[in-house]
Amino acid sequence: MSNYRNLNLLFTFLLLMVALSTVAAPPKREFYEIKIYHLKNADQEARVEAFLKDAYVPAAHRAGIKNVGVFKPVKTDTMAGKLIYVLTPLKSLDQLLTLPKTLDKDAAYTSAGKDYIDANYKNAPYARFESIILQAFTDAPVLTKPALTGPKSERVYELRSYEGHTEKIYQNKVKMFNAGGEVPLFKRLGFNAVFYGEVIAGSHMPNLMYMTTFDNKASRDAHWKSFSEDAEWNKLKVNPEYQNNVSKNTSFYLYPTEYSDI
């Protein structure tokens, strides 16, 4: 009887340890690819959009990637009609390498994307594309779909890039977001951030990027006004530990296409 009781206690203890380890384990940090298509004309824009809508996004879903974002510059931007942004969340860098092979084996993808995939060299569907690879912040390890209700065509998604003077100084800005508290500050003020990421490969380094989202431009402006007036931010921005840690701050104003998951 004593042995039976001891086995029960041991079993209960093991179950408790498993439960605690499951609860305590933080989510693994995702990776993101931001692919930016550069377009020459409206025909290329239409062809890339057809490929993304009918081939790439559905195939990514079949490959287990639920949330693919497709964005275009807002209508008032001088780059409107010239760029398309594609945000693909990835579980690992290995998935980044294997995804093209997975897509190539998808018959529905190759069929729906034939115009893009098999385009003649004299009639390419785009001028060029660039690719940025990021790893999610420790304090924002996974992508979050924005809780917005307004029409997609009116939304403003602000993609921000903060470049640093050196690698060490750039890491100080990353620390400011994580340990310093910028990530929870944005959350408290309702910025509907999609992701925060450290750029690990790209044309402008060292830098970090993040995306905040708003129902419209008026909402965007009101949120940033509240941010600039927030007591916590005004205390954080003068903290001696976090001074002079950004050499260039660039914002890109986008809106999601109707077929974007995000």
Side-chain angles (χ1 to χ4, degrees), residues 35-67:
K35 183 177 286 187
I36 307 173
Y37 286 94
H38 294 253
L39 312 165
K40 291 181 179 179
N41 50 46
D43 177 66
Q44 286 192 337
E45 181 182 18
R47 292 173 69 192
V48 171
E49 280 222 83
F51 164 72
L52 294 171
K53 177 178 180 290
D54 300 328
Y56 180 74
V57 173
H61 292 168
R62 290 191 292 273
I65 300 172
K66 296 180 181 180
N67 297 311

Side-chain angles (χ1 to χ4, degrees), residues 108-128:
Y109 165 79
T110 56
S111 176
K114 185 174 177 58
D115 173 70
Y116 173 101
I117 297 168
D118 296 331
N120 185 277
Y121 76 95
K122 293 182 180 180
N123 189 28
Y126 53 84
R128 191 63 54 199

